[in-house]
Amino acid sequence: MEPIVIPVIEEELHIGKRTVETGVISVVKHVFEEAQTVDIPVSREEVTVEHVAVYQYVDEAPAVRYEGETMIIPVLREVLVTEKRLLLVEEVHVTRQKITDRETHEVMLRKEEITVKRTGSSDERPA
């Protein structure tokens, strides 16, 4: 007896892809300038100098001292008498004040915007 030959068939799947253009976009950048007014605090210090007469004899030179924001600087003179002594002639009172003013300046600021425009049908699908 002769064997029976039965053919065996196998199917194969081949998958392929292709690129399909569905549309085009364009990008546009716009730069705008606009003037803005800004209010900026600006600080400065002012000094007031006041001479205060003392005319008082002292045994030694007083040191520079502070009373609050005021710096007191002793000014001395030697006076010739039977003996030499220090005469405190005056004190210089220096007071410091902080003053804040506001200044207005106009500055140019840039702003960019992007516009995206799509052309072509978005309903097309690759086959």
Side-chain angles (χ1 to χ4, degrees):
M1 181 157 152
E2 214 172 289
I4 300 175
V5 177
I6 302 174
V8 178
I9 299 173
E10 178 180 341
E11 291 183 339
E12 291 182 358
L13 177 63
H14 292 280
I15 298 175
K17 302 193 280 187
R18 64 183 160 134
T19 304
V20 176
E21 184 177 299
T22 60
V24 178
I25 65 167
S26 62
V27 177
V28 179
K29 178 171 121 176
H30 301 279
V31 177
F32 299 97
E33 287 186 351
E34 66 180 47
Q36 287 191 356
T37 301
V38 293
D39 194 15
I40 304 168
V42 179
S43 297
R44 71 176 189 273
E45 290 185 351
E46 290 184 357
V47 175
T48 303
V49 177
E50 177 186 355
H51 293 264
V52 178
V54 176
Y55 288 99
Q56 182 180 37
Y57 288 103
V58 293
D59 294 326
E60 60 184 41
V64 174
R65 68 183 193 277
Y66 287 89
E67 291 180 3
E69 289 290 317
T70 302
M71 176 174 53
I72 300 174
I73 305 167
V75 178
L76 301 169
R77 178 189 320 159
E78 289 183 341
V79 178
L80 195 57
V81 288
T82 311
E83 61 183 9
K84 185 167 72 168
R85 300 189 311 182
L86 294 175
L87 173 63
L88 179 59
V89 178
E90 69 178 352
E91 295 176 333
V92 177
H93 295 216
V94 177
T95 304
R96 190 166 71 179
Q97 300 171 335
K98 185 174 185 177
I99 297 171
T100 301
D101 291 333
R102 300 193 74 77
E103 293 182 4
T104 301
H105 295 275
E106 188 169 291
V107 294
M108 294 299 287
L109 299 179
R110 291 183 179 164
K111 179 172 74 175
E112 295 181 346
E113 289 183 2
I114 301 292
T115 304
V116 177
K117 182 179 177 185
R118 183 178 182 93
T119 57
S121 173
S122 61
D123 293 337
E124 286 186 21
R125 301 270 186 238

